[in-house]
Amino acid sequence: TEAPATEAPAAAETATFKIDSSQSAARFTLNETLMGNPKTVIGTSTKVSGDITVSFDNPTSSQIGPIQIDASAFATDSGMRD
């Protein structure tokens, strides 16, 4: 009798997604008090890069990053704060 043929295990199906900085942004929010008046400040930066690799067969082996954010590019509603 012949031994049954064995197939090589299929390669894990993965996809890598790159962050598109033209469609992405990093944001921060902080609360401050200026001259006795509370204010919520929001800063944004589109200088974001990185990638995410997703394993569809084994989601726990998916990987994120590194994600890089250029903090010097954050902008708020005040140039003096930036």
Side-chain angles (χ1 to χ4, degrees):
T1 354
E2 290 183 33
T6 57
E7 294 181 23
E13 188 174 337
T14 62
T16 299
F17 300 92
K18 292 209 169 287
I19 294 174
D20 180 353
S21 62
S22 70
Q23 298 183 41
S24 304
R27 290 181 171 77
F28 71 83
T29 303
L30 63 90
N31 296 312
E32 65 181 356
T33 303
L34 294 174
M35 300 172 63
N37 297 317
K39 179 162 180 75
T40 299
V41 176
I42 300 171
T44 60
S45 173
T46 58
K47 298 211 176 194
V48 181
S49 63
D51 54 67
I52 300 169
T53 301
V54 178
S55 172
F56 298 105
D57 297 333
N58 184 8
T60 59
S61 68
S62 296
Q63 297 180 354
I64 298 175
I67 307 279
Q68 296 180 330
I69 302 166
D70 182 354
S72 68
F74 274 112
T76 64
D77 62 343
S78 170
M80 291 178 61
R81 184 184 294 112
D82 299 345

